[in-house]
Each structure stands twice: as C-alpha cells, then as structure tokens.
C-alpha cells in the first residue's frame, strides 16, 4: 500500500497544483464567495477520514442553542438524494445521511438541512427557519461560502503537518490551507496528554499563528438504544461491536481500557449495510453462547442500523477540552458570534 502511494506521487503534485490554483482564485477574489449577515461557523479538516467533526458540531450546538436559534447545514455525505432537503421525522439515512439525521434526532429545537450547494442551502434555511447562527458541517474546502469563523480539526495521531496530498497522503489540500482557520483543535487526544507533548504539537503548528486547543472523546456512562446499560454492567457481558465509521480505534481503546470483552465487526465509513451484512451480524451475535450479551454500535451507525437490528444499543460520545480550556474556546466562539451581529 505504501509503495502504491509512493507510485502515485506525481498525481499528488498535479492534484496539489489544482487545489493551489483554486484557493488562489478565491484568495484574489477572482472566484466569487458569498457572505451572509448571520454568523456562519465552519467546522472541517484538511484530511479525509474521521477527525471528530460530528462531536465538535454537537459541542457547538450545546454551547449556543439556549441563547440562539440554530441551524446545521451538511452536504449529507453518502445519501442517495440530491438537492436541498429540510429534515423531518420521516427521513432516513439513505435520504439525508447519517450525521444530519443524528443531529435532527438529538436536538429537537434546531433546524437541520442537507444541500451539496452550501450557498443555496443557507439561503433556503434563512427563508424557512430564520436561524440566528448557521453551523456548516464538513465545509472547510467549500469556499463558495465565506464563513465568519472557521474551526480546523486535526487528529492527534495524524496531524495534517505530517501528511501529504491525496492520493499519496490523505490531505484534501495543502497544509497551507490552515491559514484560513480561526482556531485549530487537535482532536482525539489521550486524556493523559502531557504538557510537554502539547508543547511539541504546538511547536509543529506554530507557523500558522492560530490559537490551538486539545480535545478528547468522552464516552457516556450509560449505553442507550433498545436496551440500556451502565458501563459497569457492560463489563459482565459479551459484546458484539459493529462499526461503520472512519476511525473506530478510540472506541476500541475505550472498551479495552474498561476491560469489556468484545468481538469487532468493522465496516467502511458511512457503510450502507446490506441484507447480507445484517444476516452476518445476526448470525455472529446468535453464536455467542452466553445470554449476557450486547449488540453495540456507535451513535452514528445506530442511525443506519436501528431499524434493521431491533436489539441494538449505542454509546454516545462528546468532545471535551483538555486542561480546562473550554472557557477560552467558548469565548472565541461567543465573541465571533457577537461581533458578527
């Protein structure tokens, strides 16, 4: 695989020249970018794969929903539809994607829509629900919209400064794209990340002259779904873990650290589970010899699977900032919203 990526290096250079030219045209305002009177907060990354965008968006919702009317706009990755859709209770992941449906089901007071054309999507949301703040999910490269504040996420074990452009590496654009961010969040850090390690990471990102924060994934103590359990109860059970996300490693690590016995069925990111997949999962689960067993998945996968696997449970996650820096991060967000208004 590494040899193949090295072989594709010339394609990466060509791809990089295209993205560089595109960004230059936007920077010089030759290509048009639309701004809006309401604050538009962009959450995204420079690389493909799971950097924790969904829990970061949910963090922003919890921060802002009590004082502002919110809307989330996503392209709805993996959906089988096109165009603009304002989510309602009848929509499925196949129609709108798993993350948007998760937002909609989790936060009853906010508007959620999908549209691959973010300008059109924002205009529609403004007409239909009049939000005071719009959160753009996974839109860092969508430069047709000028965000009022941009949050760039980079995974602790895969910093964008140590990566290379597609297809040799995983970057969607050059690391210089970080200059457009207002803040950089290093995600999925171990809770024990030392001050020295944080200092080293900040040094590697120092040329971008952005505020840098460190966050980790926190798992809820209570398992939800068809059956509810506490973490303590889960220890005494055999678990079949089913995932279809980009990076299940933090969850796998969490289960191991808490001495939870599990067997893992791993599928690709945003996987649309087929009848054969469901049958395989059910067969594997039924082969567990104990009655003390749990069929467990992630919250995102639960959106796609709960209608197909009636005995399914899931584990919620949240973003938590290290070193008590959430107040500083929150102030940056709240000030950006206040200044825009």
């Amino acid at each position: 695989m590494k040899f193949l990526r090295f072989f594709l290096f010339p394609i990466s250079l060509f791809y990089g020249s295209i993205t560089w030219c595109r960004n230059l045209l936007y920077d010089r305002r030759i290509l048009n970018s639309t701004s809006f009177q309401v604050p538009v907060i962009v959450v995204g990354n420079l690389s493909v794969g799971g950097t924790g965008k969904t829990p970061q968006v949910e963090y922003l919702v919890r921060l802002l929903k009590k004082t502002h009317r919110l809307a989330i706009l996503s392209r709805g990755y993996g959906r089988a539809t096109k165009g603009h859709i304002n989510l309602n209770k009848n929509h499925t992941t196949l129609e709108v994607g798993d993350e948007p449906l998760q937002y909609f089901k989790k936060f009853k007071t906010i508007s959620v829509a999908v549209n691959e054309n973010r300008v059109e999507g924002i205009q529609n949301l403004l007409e239909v629900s009049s939000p005071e703040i719009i959160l753009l999910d996974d839109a860092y490269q969508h430069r047709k919209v000028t965000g009022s504040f941009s949050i760039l996420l980079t995974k602790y074990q895969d910093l964008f400064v140590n990566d290379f452009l597609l297809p040799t590496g995983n970057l969607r654009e050059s690391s210089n794209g970080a200059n457009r961010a207002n803040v950089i969040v290093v995600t999925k850090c171990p809770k024990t990340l030392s001050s020295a390690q944080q200092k080293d990471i900040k040094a590697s990102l120092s040329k971008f002259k952005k505020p840098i924060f460190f966050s980790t994934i926190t798992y809820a103590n209570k398992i939800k779904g068809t059956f509810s359990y506490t973490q303590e109860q889960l220890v005494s059970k055999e678990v079949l873990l089913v995932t279809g996300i980009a990076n299940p490693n933090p969850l796998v690590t969490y289960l191991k650290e808490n001495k939870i016995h599990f067997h893992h069925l791993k599928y690709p990111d945003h996987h649309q589970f087929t009848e054969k997949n469901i049958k395989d999962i059910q067969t594997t689960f039924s082969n567990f010899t104990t009655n003390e067993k749990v069929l467990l998945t992630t919250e995102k996968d639960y959106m796609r699977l709960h209608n197909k696997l009636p005995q399914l449970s899931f584990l919620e996650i949240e973003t938590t900032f290290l070193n008590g820096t959430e107040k500083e991060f929150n102030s940056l967000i709240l000030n950006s919203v206040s200044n825009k208004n």
Side-chain angles (χ1 to χ4, degrees), residues 52 54-59 62 102 106-107 188 191 215-221 224 299 315-321:
T54 301
Q56 181 63 65
V57 170
E58 292 184 354
Y59 181 95
R62 294 187 183 95
Q102 178 174 320
K106 199 166 189 175
F107 303 107
K188 300 187 178 181
K191 293 181 176 63
S215 71
T216 189
I217 294 296
T218 301
Y219 291 91
N221 183 57
K224 298 182 178 180
E299 187 176 8
L315 194 55
E316 285 185 319
I317 62 173
E318 290 187 9
T319 285
T320 304
F321 286 91

Side-chain angles (χ1 to χ4, degrees), residues 149-152 178 181-186 202 205-206 208-214 321 328-329 332:
F149 195 88
S150 293
I151 302 170
L152 178 63
N182 295 95
V183 63
I184 298 173
V185 179
V186 182
K202 285 184 176 180
L205 300 172
S206 61
F208 301 107
K209 296 179 172 47
K210 309 292 179 181
I212 298 171
F213 293 86
F214 298 87
F321 286 91
E328 183 183 350
F329 178 84
L332 288 174

Side-chain angles (χ1 to χ4, degrees), residues 29-98:
R29 298 183 179 180
I30 297 171
L31 290 178
N32 184 49
S33 183
T34 304
S35 58
F36 295 89
Q37 290 187 339
V38 300
V40 176
I41 301 176
V42 177
V43 178
N45 53 26
L46 295 180
S47 62
V48 297
T51 54
K53 293 184 294 295
T54 301
Q56 181 63 65
V57 170
E58 292 184 354
Y59 181 95
L60 295 174
V61 171
R62 294 187 183 95
L63 173 65
L64 299 167
K65 68 185 178 75
K66 292 182 180 179
T67 54
H68 298 83
R69 192 164 54 251
L70 298 183
I72 298 176
L73 179 64
S74 171
R75 64 172 169 159
Y77 183 85
R79 63 184 173 126
T81 59
K82 297 288 186 182
H84 188 91
I85 298 176
N86 295 308
L87 270 68
N88 62 49
K89 62 181 181 180
N90 297 318
H91 283 125
T92 66
T93 57
L94 195 60
E95 294 170 321
V96 298
D98 45 18

Side-chain angles (χ1 to χ4, degrees), residues 147-160:
S148 55
F149 195 88
S150 293
I151 302 170
L152 178 63
L153 308 181
T154 184
K155 192 167 57 178
Y156 161 72
Q157 291 183 318
D158 191 18
L159 299 176
F160 64 82

Side-chain angles (χ1 to χ4, degrees), residues 199-238:
K199 185 177 179 180
D200 288 342
I201 292 173
K202 285 184 176 180
S204 68
L205 300 172
S206 61
K207 76 171 188 175
F208 301 107
K209 296 179 172 47
K210 309 292 179 181
I212 298 171
F213 293 86
F214 298 87
S215 71
T216 189
I217 294 296
T218 301
Y219 291 91
N221 183 57
K222 188 174 182 180
I223 289 83
K224 298 182 178 180
T226 305
F227 302 103
S228 295
Y229 307 95
T230 64
Q231 175 194 305
E232 291 76 17
Q233 289 173 319
L234 207 60
V235 173
S236 63
K237 301 182 184 299
E238 290 293 328

Side-chain angles (χ1 to χ4, degrees), residues 321-340:
F321 286 91
L322 300 182
N323 313 319
T325 56
E326 64 275 358
K327 289 185 178 180
E328 183 183 350
F329 178 84
N330 293 352
S331 293
L332 288 174
I333 300 298
L334 295 172
N335 287 339
S336 75
V337 170
S338 176
N339 293 336
K340 181 66 176 179

